[in-house]
Amino acid sequence: RIALDYLRSETPDVIVQVIETPNLERNLPLTVELAELGVPMVIALNMADEAQRTGVAVDCARLRELTGIRATLTNGRSGQGVRDLLPLIVQVHQARLAPRALRHDETFTALLRSDPDGAAHVQAGDPSTARAAESSRAELSFDPATSEARLALADGLARLVLKRQPTRAREWTSALDSF
């Protein structure tokens, strides 16, 4: 609640959302909500090693295309990708690269459904995006219908940017079943 009050009353230069990459689906609803604020944003997709080990891959270019949010893979334990994070934050701040207006309405949901190959044509930083973000900041709502629409939008984004590949590692349940 404190963070939300701060984000409503102040305008931070950049929001950096750190997401556990293996659990991307759980974090995207917050991403959608933060994008509604219209503040420049960067996503640090942390635990990249764990994601790779479990066969999870995130298409950062596709995420950027759909949301206008820059993302980079990081690993807090090894430091992988951390050096790329600061220049990315500076770039997003200097260019004032706000996320797209991820409106949880029929239009964007239809775009997600009808655009499986990535031909989204809404541009980040266009004036309509900025106007929509300003109105969203004032209207940030938590009613059940809005929350459900955000979840549906986040689910659609996850389907478009997340790829799960089978791993060679044997699941412990499979090992038990073989006895």
Side-chain angles (χ1 to χ4, degrees):
R1 187 78 184 151
I2 293 170
L4 179 60
D5 289 342
Y6 174 79
L7 291 171
R8 280 185 172 162
S9 64
E10 303 293 327
T11 304
D13 293 329
V14 176
I15 294 172
V16 179
Q17 182 184 13
V18 180
I19 292 177
E20 289 181 2
T21 306
N23 299 314
L24 181 70
E25 299 101 325
R26 277 192 248 161
N27 292 277
L28 282 176
L30 178 59
T31 304
V32 170
E33 207 168 313
L34 291 171
E36 290 176 14
L37 298 172
V39 175
M41 191 170 162
V42 171
I43 296 174
L45 294 164
N46 200 29
M47 298 175 63
D49 60 331
E50 182 68 17
Q52 183 178 17
R53 187 183 68 73
T54 59
V56 172
V58 178
D59 187 341
C60 291
R62 181 80 166 124
L63 180 63
R64 177 182 176 177
E65 179 184 346
L66 290 167
T67 65
I69 301 170
R70 279 43 174 191
T72 188
L73 295 171
T74 61
N75 183 330
R77 277 185 269 171
S78 71
Q80 170 201 357
V82 175
R83 287 192 178 157
D84 299 330
L85 189 57
L86 184 57
L88 187 59
I89 293 168
V90 170
Q91 174 193 15
V92 166
H93 170 64
Q94 288 176 340
R96 299 297 303 158
L97 299 173
R100 285 188 173 67
L102 299 178
R103 301 299 293 184
H104 35 80
D105 59 13
E106 299 80 23
T107 306
F108 197 80
T109 303
L111 173 64
L112 287 173
R113 286 189 187 129
S114 67
D115 188 24
D117 297 323
H121 299 295
V122 180
Q123 294 299 314
D126 75 26
S128 63
T129 299
R131 282 191 298 276
E134 278 305 310
S135 67
S136 290
R137 183 186 305 268
E139 300 171 10
L140 203 54
S141 169
F142 296 98
D143 67 83
T146 302
S147 295
E148 190 161 323
R150 283 185 187 122
L151 289 172
L153 179 57
D155 182 61
L157 285 171
R159 283 190 228 155
L160 294 171
V161 302
L162 191 60
K163 309 240 181 314
R164 293 197 184 274
Q165 300 172 4
T167 60
R168 286 187 237 168
R170 197 169 170 191
E171 295 290 328
W172 68 272
T173 56
S174 298
L176 288 174
D177 289 343
S178 68
F179 282 110

